[in-house]
Amino acid sequence: MSFRTIVISHQSKLEYRMNYLVIRTSDGIQKVFLDEISVLIIESTAVSLTVVLLQELANRGIDTIFCDSTRNPCSELKPFYCAQTTNERILVQINWTINAKTLVWTEIVRQKIKKQQEMVARLHIDDLGYFKAKAESVLLGDKSKMEAQVAKKYFHLLFGNNFSRHTDTPINAALNYGYGILLSVFNREIVKNGYLTELGICHSNVHNTFNLGCDLMEPFRPLVDQIVFYMMPFDEFTTTLKHELLGIFNCKLKINDRHYDFLNATEIYCTSLFQALQSKNINLIKFFEYE
């Protein structure tokens, strides 16, 4: 039974040999038994593949996802004749009700504000109960735009009263880079589960290819904010600082009193959220807690 998700994130050559995926890099050669792979994500554009491998991936129904230069999914390998569940999932997604999407989005906003409150507390910044009160005041569908109101206060507490998310600064460059990493993670989970990244539950910008990813990632943004906060001060967003932001993959998060690494936590969260949208039951959503 296939159970592994393989992510190729560095320059390498992939080929097929004796039922194995062979990964050749500057560090050596690795082999993965093809029947163990459920999803193969080609995250780097500096990867070459053999046609024989592509044929085997298609024949075995392995979901192969290719990412663009920003590490976001841009295409997928699918065989012409193979049982697929993607069509079924897309039909399910199209039929998510307005009521279900409204309920889920309300809870996402509420949880995001709670995570901002917890992050401010972790960083020993006094909020005088502001975030708790705002989280309790979120209206259905966030009609009062509480998320935006809280964000302004939140960023001022972290980065100073003169900080604005609309300016070209090193801090904003770092935040945007970190959020880009987050978005790519959630886009991969969406595609892996057979859904469309374009169809969001709140975000609906016709020019945004990743509306659903933008929705799902919201409660996880404070993880990026924390890393950037500890990186300060810096006058330039350097390659070294970019590597520090990749430390988000080392985060340990708690769900239902069990500890998971970052990628496993996002997978559990996304799966539960899709179930909540289908059943219209927000109690099914498994939000993370800080370890």
Side-chain angles (χ1 to χ4, degrees):
M1 186 178 81
S2 59
F3 60 90
R4 300 180 67 175
T5 298
I6 305 297
V7 180
I8 308 298
S9 57
H10 301 289
Q11 182 177 5
S12 55
K13 179 179 180 181
L14 309 184
E15 58 188 44
Y16 170 75
R17 182 167 297 177
M18 300 290 291
N19 295 317
Y20 281 87
L21 164 64
V22 179
I23 307 168
R24 298 181 183 274
T25 68
S26 58
D27 295 327
I29 299 176
Q30 291 181 292
K31 296 182 180 180
V32 184
F33 190 47
L34 279 175
D35 286 345
E36 294 182 354
I37 303 174
S38 61
V39 180
L40 173 64
I41 301 172
I42 311 299
E43 191 179 55
S44 171
T45 56
V47 173
S48 61
L49 303 86
T50 64
V51 174
V52 174
L53 174 61
L54 291 173
Q55 176 183 309
E56 285 298 322
L57 293 170
N59 288 343
R60 296 167 190 257
I62 296 173
D63 193 7
T64 305
I65 301 165
F66 300 93
C67 298
D68 59 22
S69 58
T70 63
R71 296 179 182 268
N72 280 306
C74 63
S75 63
E76 189 173 5
L77 174 67
K78 286 185 178 295
F80 281 130
Y81 309 108
C82 182
Q84 297 287 330
T85 61
T86 301
N87 287 349
E88 178 184 348
R89 294 290 177 87
I90 292 174
L91 289 174
V92 167
Q93 182 177 8
I94 292 173
N95 289 306
W96 287 339
T97 66
I98 294 177
N99 181 52
K101 290 189 287 187
T102 300
L103 289 172
V104 169
W105 178 246
T106 304
E107 192 59 25
I108 286 176
V109 171
R110 186 175 290 115
Q111 286 293 327
K112 179 182 179 180
I113 296 175
K114 287 182 178 179
K115 294 296 178 287
Q116 289 172 328
Q117 173 194 0
E118 293 169 14
M119 183 56 66
V120 168
R122 286 165 62 88
L123 299 177
H124 306 291
I125 302 172
D126 192 358
D127 71 321
L128 300 176
Y130 174 85
F131 292 93
K132 182 178 180 180
K134 292 298 183 182
E136 294 173 350
S137 302
V138 175
L139 300 178
L140 189 64
D142 192 26
K143 294 180 180 179
S144 63
K145 305 297 181 183
M146 192 66 70
E147 179 194 11
Q149 296 177 40
V150 170
K152 183 176 181 179
K153 172 77 171 181
Y154 171 74
F155 283 120
H156 283 175
L157 285 173
L158 264 62
F159 305 119
N161 290 332
N162 294 325
F163 177 79
S164 170
R165 281 287 292 142
H166 304 292
T167 56
D168 184 11
T169 64
I171 290 178
N172 274 322
L175 290 172
N176 291 338
Y177 183 83
Y179 296 153
I181 293 172
L182 271 186
L183 182 59
S184 68
V185 169
F186 283 98
N187 285 337
R188 289 198 299 268
E189 283 301 320
I190 292 165
V191 174
K192 189 175 75 175
N193 280 277
Y195 298 104
L196 296 174
T197 60
E198 295 89 345
L199 301 181
I201 57 179
C202 177
H203 289 80
S204 57
N205 189 329
V206 295
H207 302 294
N208 183 4
T209 311
F210 308 118
N211 284 308
L212 186 55
C214 291
D215 289 328
L216 269 58
M217 67 181 276
E218 292 294 347
F220 288 75
R221 284 179 181 263
L223 295 172
V224 172
D225 304 334
Q226 174 181 241
I227 297 174
V228 175
F229 180 85
Y230 282 127
M231 282 164 39
M232 295 195 306
F234 55 95
D235 297 322
E236 182 183 359
F237 184 48
T238 63
T239 300
T240 300
L241 295 180
K242 289 182 180 180
H243 291 167
E244 285 192 37
L245 274 163
L246 293 177
I248 193 170
F249 291 106
N250 298 323
C251 289
K252 297 294 182 182
L253 303 174
K254 187 167 63 172
I255 297 178
N256 291 344
D257 295 324
R258 293 188 61 183
H259 295 86
Y260 300 92
D261 62 36
F262 173 74
L263 289 178
N264 284 338
T266 57
E267 181 178 8
I268 292 168
Y269 160 73
C270 289
T271 300
S272 69
L273 193 140
F274 296 141
Q275 292 171 344
L277 283 164
Q278 181 64 15
S279 64
K280 306 175 189 177
N281 182 3
I282 61 172
N283 293 322
L284 295 177
I285 307 177
K286 297 179 180 179
F287 291 104
F288 77 88
E289 299 175 29
Y290 298 113
E291 188 177 26

